[in-house]
Amino acid sequence: IEETVALGELPEAARAAIRKIATPGQLLKVESVTKGSVVSYEATIRRNGKTSEVAVHADGSAGRVD
């Protein structure tokens, strides 16, 4: 289940990791992704004219974008 959320709604560790990865780019969208009982967060970032997605777990560790 994917749901668009505000960056401020994420756990602090996940929010800090996304901010670090996104800088100096522009954060376009953040989603909460639930697979079974596991919740992770995906962010869409634009940097240098290129758009990419990154994923992190609630503890701020790197996740995987499928």
Side-chain angles (χ1 to χ4, degrees):
I1 300 171
E2 294 186 11
E3 178 182 0
T4 300
V5 296
L7 184 62
E9 295 178 39
L10 275 59
E12 179 58 36
R15 184 171 50 240
I18 288 175
R19 282 186 178 143
K20 183 177 181 179
I21 294 166
T23 302
Q26 177 185 12
L27 186 59
L28 302 176
K29 179 171 70 170
V30 179
E31 294 179 317
S32 169
V33 180
T34 305
K35 292 183 182 177
S37 63
V38 178
V39 179
S40 59
Y41 303 93
E42 293 181 359
T44 305
I45 300 165
R46 180 177 297 135
R47 186 181 313 156
N48 299 325
K50 296 182 181 182
T51 302
S52 60
E53 281 192 348
V54 297
V56 298
H57 298 289
D59 65 2
S61 63
R64 193 173 121 197
V65 176
D66 293 331

